[in-house]
Amino acid sequence: MLRFLNRLFSRDRDKGGSKNVAMERLKLVLVHDRVNACPQLLEALKEDLIRVIREYIEIDETALDITFDSMENTVALVANIPVLKIKKGLV
Amino acid sequence: MKGKVIVITSGKGGVGKTTTTANLGTALTMLGRRVVMVDTDIGLRNLDVVMGLENRIVFDIVDVVTGGTKLKQALIKDKRFEGLYLLPAAQTKEKTAVSPHQMKTLCNELKKEFDFVLVDCPAGIEQGFKNAISGADEAIVVAVPEVSSVRDADGIVGLLEAAGLNKNQLIINRIRPRMVKRGDMMDIEDMIDILSVDLLGVVPEDEIVIVSTNKGEPAVMDTSSRAGDAYRRIARRLNGEEVSMLPLNHSEGLMNKFRRMFKMASR
């Protein structure tokens, strides 16, 4: 009886079945897999970012760090970019 | 005559590469094409038993590429189907007994004689995989609707593309419509969406596949088999026809059910 109730409730909670969990987990893991399979991607992204930011801000390019981070249900692109100086008279 | 070399691969083991190779090979010969199936899983060959040809092996792929044996001598002719041949893998040698270059030469040789060269790839991404894909013109990636298989399939597609193979088509194997319906299994759209490759076909889970493997008779020989039907459709697509997908609603007709029960009982 208890087991039955348990099943009834757990069913209700994660409506849509276990497929959605599988999909979410897969999408997350594939982001990391694909980045690892292609390290050039991060390098290219880094170079482009530096190029754009440099037009507005003086940054410490050697200390710039970009990674993918898994949050709860999403993947975030996390960039740590030390600022040296904001350029004057741009706006 | 210039045929096509298609490698059947998956990354993960046990998802149905060999079964797919055997069934597509058989179904293509049923359509009148000349087909050779090449088992590249050196050390763990299985295509021979799935095809029921294990007692006919004299020479194998290593004997051929190392030059001792003529290709024609090593090819096993399947007497049940006109135009179907098997080149078995070696069972006692190392994976490194064949090089990618040798494999390429072999495939080019076979292409001259056959419409389709189906290369059954070993699991994994090591030497055996590199050998298997080295002579291929295109690839069929087999995946089942489970996270581990889809993940590996994604990796394999990446490796195929990196190796310059750009025509990679997906076969979704062992789908269970009932589980899909209640939301406990990824469906076709989900998998295509994640993998972003073209879909070649969908094969439903079917006990007949195990029965047919037990007997060494590919499921396509059984006209009442749903998996066999799916494989026959895929073969026709490979043959250039436009064929609709097998409808996956599992409510098979009552008559069919009876017929199948009767068949099972009479086995």
Side-chain angles (χ1 to χ4, degrees), chain B:
Chain B
M1 188 155 70
K2 186 119 169 100
K4 210 189 277 180
V5 181
I6 306 175
V7 62
I8 291 104
T9 181
S10 69
K12 190 179 181 311
V15 298
K17 284 180 295 296
T18 303
T19 308
T20 299
T21 308
N23 278 290
L24 292 184
T26 308
L28 280 166
T29 49
M30 287 164 127
L31 295 171
R33 310 309 297 265
R34 282 175 56 79
V35 182
V36 61
M37 301 173 291
V38 182
D39 190 349
T40 59
D41 202 347
I42 295 172
L44 293 170
R45 75 173 169 215
N46 271 321
L47 189 52
D48 54 335
V49 278
V50 173
M51 287 301 299
L53 297 170
E54 66 273 21
N55 295 326
R56 306 259 320 275
I57 298 178
V58 183
F59 301 111
D60 57 51
I61 188 169
V62 175
D63 297 323
V64 173
V65 298
T66 52
T69 311
K70 286 219 176 77
L71 185 53
K72 283 221 167 87
Q73 276 183 296
L75 289 180
I76 298 167
K77 183 177 160 50
D78 191 325
K79 291 170 185 157
R80 297 164 297 183
F81 306 97
E82 180 66 34
L84 183 60
Y85 291 80
L86 168 72
L87 181 58
Q91 184 70 328
T92 53
K93 312 226 169 56
E94 297 281 322
K95 297 237 182 233
T96 47
V98 179
S99 74
H101 177 73
Q102 287 169 326
M103 188 64 199
K104 206 169 176 176
T105 315
L106 174 69
C107 286
N108 284 335
E109 207 55 43
L110 289 169
K111 249 192 323 200
K112 291 181 199 155
E113 301 286 325
F114 293 92
D115 300 314
F116 289 94
V117 181
L118 302 183
V119 180
D120 186 16
C121 180
I125 54 172
E126 293 84 20
Q127 185 66 38
F129 167 76
K130 287 174 190 153
N131 283 343
I133 67 166
S134 61
D137 300 312
E138 47 189 86
I140 293 174
V141 177
V142 184
V144 298
E146 290 170 28
V147 280
S148 48
S149 174
V150 176
R151 182 191 195 179
D152 288 3
D154 186 77
I156 285 292
V157 171
L159 290 172
L160 290 169
E161 283 171 1
L165 278 167
N166 291 312
K167 191 171 180 198
N168 308 314
Q169 292 176 286
L170 177 71
I171 290 182
I172 299 174
N173 198 14
R174 276 195 224 139
I175 198 156
R176 300 190 198 195
R178 240 173 263 215
M179 289 189 75
V180 171
K181 208 171 167 193
R182 67 164 194 257
D184 274 329
M185 181 176 269
M186 281 178 262
D187 62 26
I188 301 164
E189 284 76 33
D190 295 332
M191 289 177 69
I192 298 173
D193 182 40
I194 286 187
L195 293 170
S196 50
V197 286
D198 293 332
L199 182 70
L200 180 61
V202 181
V203 183
E205 171 89 59
D206 188 345
E207 290 185 1
I208 298 223
V209 172
I210 296 177
V211 175
S212 68
T213 308
N214 287 344
K215 297 196 286 189
E217 295 169 355
V220 287
M221 293 167 71
D222 184 339
T223 46
S224 71
S225 148
R226 281 177 60 73
D229 187 8
Y231 278 124
R232 283 194 297 274
R233 283 168 194 253
I234 296 172
R236 282 165 60 199
R237 280 180 210 123
L238 285 176
N239 201 26
E241 280 179 64
E242 286 224 0
V243 190
S244 63
M245 285 285 160
L246 181 76
L248 279 182
N249 39 17
H250 55 275
S251 54
E252 69 179 322
L254 198 61
M255 269 319 278
N256 245 341
K257 225 172 212 164
F258 272 129
R259 219 172 277 152
R260 190 191 283 210
M261 271 162 70
F262 184 73
K263 262 198 117 171
M264 286 280 206
S266 67
R267 272 203 180 101

Side-chain angles (χ1 to χ4, degrees), chain A residues 39-54:
Chain A
Q40 305 97 302
L41 184 141
L42 262 186
E43 272 314 303
L45 174 64
K46 210 167 166 177
E47 274 168 33
D48 280 355
L49 270 179
I50 292 176
R51 201 164 36 78
V52 174
I53 294 172
R54 226 178 359 207

Side-chain angles (χ1 to χ4, degrees), chain A:
Chain A
M1 185 67 190
L2 194 69
R3 196 183 282 171
F4 171 75
L5 280 176
N6 250 338
R7 250 176 76 181
L8 201 75
F9 280 115
S10 69
R11 261 268 165 94
D12 252 2
R13 246 200 342 248
D14 46 40
K15 236 186 190 149
S18 57
K19 172 193 107 167
N20 294 335
V21 185
M23 292 282 288
E24 267 170 26
R25 293 177 56 227
L26 248 177
K27 280 180 183 162
L28 287 183
V29 85
L30 285 184
V31 168
H32 289 279
D33 283 1
R34 286 177 186 171
V35 170
N36 286 336
C38 181
Q40 305 97 302
L41 184 141
L42 262 186
E43 272 314 303
L45 174 64
K46 210 167 166 177
E47 274 168 33
D48 280 355
L49 270 179
I50 292 176
R51 201 164 36 78
V52 174
I53 294 172
R54 226 178 359 207
E55 303 209 356
Y56 304 88
I57 306 171
E58 223 173 273
I59 55 170
D60 182 0
E61 287 166 24
T62 50
L64 182 139
D65 181 44
I66 300 176
T67 47
F68 283 96
D69 232 354
S70 313
M71 307 296 190
E72 216 146 284
N73 285 326
T74 50
V75 178
L77 178 68
V78 180
N80 189 354
I81 309 168
V83 176
L84 297 178
K85 216 192 291 169
I86 308 271
K87 291 197 177 172
K88 252 191 194 170
L90 266 173
V91 194

